[in-house]
Amino acid sequence: MIAMVILMVGVAYLFGSLSSAVVICRLYQLPDPRTTGSKNPGATNVYRLGGRIPAVLVLVMDILKGTVPVYIGYWLNITPLALGFIAIAACLGHIFPLYFGFKGGKAVATAFGAMLPIGPELAGLLIVSWCVALFIWGFSSLAAIVAVALAPLFTFFIKPAYTLPVAMLAVLIVVRHQANIRRLMDGQEPRVWDKRGKLKNNN
């Protein structure tokens, strides 16, 4: 079983290393998201660079990067704690992609995908939390931090055995948002929409 866990951790990292934002931007002939806009290769930055369709494709691919390896591990009856390491490996692949110079994104969507095997209840609560936080404050980064911070609490009431793995994942994502937290505190973090309530799109 240990060998299987090590194998799945490696697979998860390699799978997570597929930078969806870079691939989609190249397909749509958009600027490199690692050097343009917020310089974060994620769906939000791709939305600003190319609009809804490329952003949705990036979001779906990033979610699947977390869901697929964790679902496989779940199907193989790997323990909850080990599944947590597989989920973290997928996120680390997104953050430090092997194929793209180890320069990746925040791994929010990948972490969300990794939590999906826990059940639709958790997924629904995370989506609602993100949407409410985004509606109130207008910051995608803050909405992600709020949702991921609540994830261990939600998990405790849904499937307690997965609370620790989800907490480990949550810590990783919050730490990854250190720069965003500093910009939020300094009042320099960009909003998803402008003051008129319209979604921002640089095209």
Side-chain angles (χ1 to χ4, degrees):
M1 181 59 72
I2 294 178
M4 181 62 68
V5 171
I6 294 173
L7 174 63
M8 287 307 303
V9 165
V11 168
Y13 172 76
L14 294 175
F15 198 57
S17 289
L18 294 169
S19 183
S20 309
V22 176
V23 172
I24 294 300
C25 282
R26 287 179 180 176
L27 288 175
Y28 278 83
Q29 299 182 334
L30 298 171
D32 191 327
R34 297 169 296 177
T35 58
T36 314
S38 67
K39 299 181 181 180
N40 175 57
T44 301
N45 194 30
V46 172
Y47 174 82
R48 296 190 182 104
L49 298 174
R52 292 182 179 86
I53 294 177
V56 169
L57 291 174
V58 170
L59 180 63
V60 171
M61 290 177 66
D62 282 348
I63 290 173
L64 289 175
K65 289 195 303 185
T67 302
V68 171
V70 173
Y71 254 130
I72 293 174
Y74 186 81
W75 180 73
L76 292 172
N77 294 317
I78 291 176
T79 64
L81 182 59
L83 286 175
F85 288 116
I86 293 172
I88 288 173
C91 290
L92 287 175
H94 181 89
I95 296 169
F96 306 109
L98 177 64
Y99 320 117
F100 297 94
F102 300 98
K103 187 176 181 180
K106 298 296 194 305
V108 174
T110 303
F112 173 76
M115 296 180 197
L116 283 181
I118 294 176
E121 300 92 343
L122 178 60
L125 287 169
L126 292 176
I127 291 171
V128 169
S129 299
W130 187 88
C131 289
V132 169
L134 183 66
F135 177 79
I136 294 173
W137 293 294
F139 298 104
S140 176
S141 58
L142 181 57
I145 292 168
V146 169
V148 77
L150 290 171
L153 178 63
F154 294 150
T155 305
F156 177 77
F157 289 104
I158 297 170
K159 286 189 179 179
Y162 292 89
T163 302
L164 178 58
V166 169
M168 292 161 51
L169 201 56
V171 169
L172 173 64
I173 301 305
V174 172
V175 169
R176 182 60 176 163
H177 279 77
Q178 287 184 70
N180 301 87
I181 294 171
R182 286 195 296 269
R183 288 196 295 267
L184 285 165
M185 295 176 67
D186 294 338
Q188 298 177 349
E189 182 76 350
R191 294 178 183 271
V192 174
W193 53 68
D194 59 25
K195 293 181 179 180
R196 295 172 297 175
K198 293 183 179 181
L199 288 172
K200 286 186 176 181
N201 189 336
N202 293 338
N203 288 326

